Amino acid sequence: MMARPIEWLDGKLRILDQSKLPGEQIFIDLDNYRDVVLAIKEMKVRGAPAIGVAAAYGIALGAAGIKTTNKDEFLAQVNQVMQAFAASRPTAVNLFQAINRMKKAARGDSVAEIKNSLINEAKQIHEEEVTATKKLSQLGAELIKDGFTLLTYCNAGPLATAGYGTALGVIKAAKDQGKKLSVFVTETRPLLQGARLTTWELRQAGIPVTLITDSMAGYFMKRGEIDCVIVGADRIAANGYTANKIGTYTLAVLANAHGIPFYVAAPTTTIDLSLTSGYQIPIEERSPEEVTHIQGVPIAPEGVRAANPAFDITPPSYITAIITEKGIIMAPYTEGLKGMGSKVS
Ligand code: MRU
């Protein structure tokens, strides 16, 4: 049983530093909000639902550290804390859902009362994420048949959700139903979440795993070795267009070309009903150094130009179903997603 990747402990936020896995399992205690913002930017904590949960606790931490007892001054400072989180990573909408929830929870007669209610709200957001990911995993498991070989991408397990996992949650739940499964994991350049984190989590869950490079996916699909692809999501627009780790679109096109089902698993906190087109989803651009280097080691000539969009958009025509805790949705997605998630942007 893995230790909790995010935990509120004695008024501090304890996180498992995902950037050091699988080599080292280091827990860091964060006692001020700036360090939480940094942990999100540096992807010590990552994955859409986990970012939302960490930000909620980070806002509670930031509020707890504010000295003034004047309510208006206090609320103005809490607002600045929230803005710092809003500027940390732009794509995962769970972050903005969490910030909105915390804004609404910043109510009370006194500063002390508001501080308390923010801590309670963060705990509530965390609990709801655990419940939602567990539920969607159980629902999604029905789509997975005994003997399936699945392919998954990036990392969508407990580390990424502070809960049960989304894509990996579905796989784990199917295994718990007694199905024999094996999983191909693509390494997920540039930051190798698949190679470093997903293989680690699947091994802990006792599920046979084969690691391949990103470029090998088509080869194995063509050979008929993949029964379905399942991934998580960072933001799903009202029309079903889905943002997920860069490279997801490529896999979806490949799956479509080979007649392989392509599933997206995400809690409804990942659904952004305010966006009518998926191409309105902001795509994070990260440092080119993540492409020119692997774990600090240069792999390209010094000074070479590199691009690093962290996410891409998969159109709904490539998605067989979206698995949420409120049900499994199939095309037409604009109809099916109605009333799911909320308007955030
Ligand atoms: O940049 P990351 O590692 O935060 O990106 C994570 C992903 O793209 C995951 O697939 C997504 O957040 C789903 S998490 C259950």
Side-chain angles (χ1 to χ4, degrees), residues 18 43 45-51 89 92 94 133 153-157 160-161 165-167 191 193 197 231-234 243-246 248 265-267 270 284 286 310-311:
Q18 298 190 38
M43 295 174 62
V45 51
R46 50 144 298 283
I51 292 171
R89 295 193 72 192
N94 311 61
T133 51
Y153 191 53
C154 194
N155 173 260
T161 59
T166 57
L191 294 180
Q193 290 93 329
L197 309 175
V231 299
D234 285 77
N244 192 49
K245 180 53 54 196
I246 188 80
T248 303
T270 306
E284 177 182 12
R286 293 186 60 86
F311 300 93

Side-chain angles (χ1 to χ4, degrees), residues 65-274:
I66 295 171
K67 296 277 180 279
T68 181
T69 50
N70 176 294
K71 204 169 129 184
D72 289 340
E73 271 174 31
F74 170 77
L75 287 174
Q77 289 184 43
V78 170
N79 196 38
Q80 281 171 6
V81 171
M82 290 178 179
Q83 280 171 18
F85 280 99
S88 60
R89 295 193 72 192
T91 304
V93 77
N94 311 61
L95 170 67
F96 303 95
Q97 300 257 23
I99 293 172
N100 279 355
R101 289 261 313 250
M102 295 300 276
K103 258 184 207 156
K104 286 189 189 131
R107 298 234 162 81
D109 289 336
S110 66
V111 163
E113 235 174 68
I114 303 173
K115 285 182 179 179
N116 249 337
S117 103
L118 287 173
I119 293 172
N120 289 338
E121 186 69 3
K123 287 181 180 165
Q124 181 70 21
I125 289 171
H126 191 176
E127 260 170 45
E128 286 173 24
E129 214 59 82
V130 175
T131 310
T133 51
K134 181 124 207 184
K135 176 83 186 154
L136 76 85
S137 298
Q138 282 159 350
L139 290 177
E142 299 303 326
L143 298 169
I144 312 301
K145 297 203 176 79
D146 189 26
F148 257 23
T149 297
L150 305 96
L151 185 143
T152 190
Y153 191 53
C154 194
N155 173 260
L159 287 168
T161 59
Y164 193 72
T166 57
L168 285 202
V170 171
I171 297 171
K172 281 191 303 168
K175 185 205 173 223
D176 289 346
Q177 292 175 345
K179 294 168 186 166
K180 267 204 161 24
L181 308 170
S182 61
V183 182
F184 275 82
V185 173
T186 47
E187 59 181 357
T188 320
R189 271 286 284 150
L191 294 180
L192 303 172
Q193 290 93 329
R196 295 188 301 106
L197 309 175
T198 302
T199 54
W200 188 73
E201 288 191 320
L202 283 169
R203 282 181 87 173
Q204 285 187 358
I207 297 170
V209 48
T210 305
L211 175 64
I212 58 173
T213 67
D214 299 334
S215 51
M216 294 175 189
Y219 172 83
F220 287 104
M221 287 185 191
K222 180 71 186 160
R223 284 164 57 105
E225 294 194 32
I226 311 290
D227 296 300
C228 77
V229 178
I230 182 160
V231 299
D234 285 77
R235 194 183 298 222
I236 301 171
N239 58 358
Y241 280 71
T242 294
N244 192 49
K245 180 53 54 196
I246 188 80
T248 303
Y249 169 63
T250 317
L251 285 175
V253 173
L254 273 174
N256 183 267
H258 292 88
I260 297 169
F262 185 92
Y263 299 122
V264 171
T268 50
T269 47
T270 306
I271 299 169
D272 182 357
L273 294 177
S274 52

Side-chain angles (χ1 to χ4, degrees), residues 20-77:
K20 297 279 191 296
L21 289 172
E24 296 170 278
Q25 283 186 52
I26 297 176
F27 288 88
I28 327 173
D29 288 336
L30 306 171
D31 61 7
N32 72 83
Y33 84 90
R34 286 192 181 85
D35 286 346
V36 183
V37 171
L38 208 60
I40 292 173
K41 282 187 181 164
E42 292 176 347
M43 295 174 62
K44 292 184 161 104
V45 51
R46 50 144 298 283
I51 292 171
V53 171
Y57 282 128
I59 290 165
L61 206 52
I66 295 171
K67 296 277 180 279
T68 181
T69 50
N70 176 294
K71 204 169 129 184
D72 289 340
E73 271 174 31
F74 170 77
L75 287 174
Q77 289 184 43

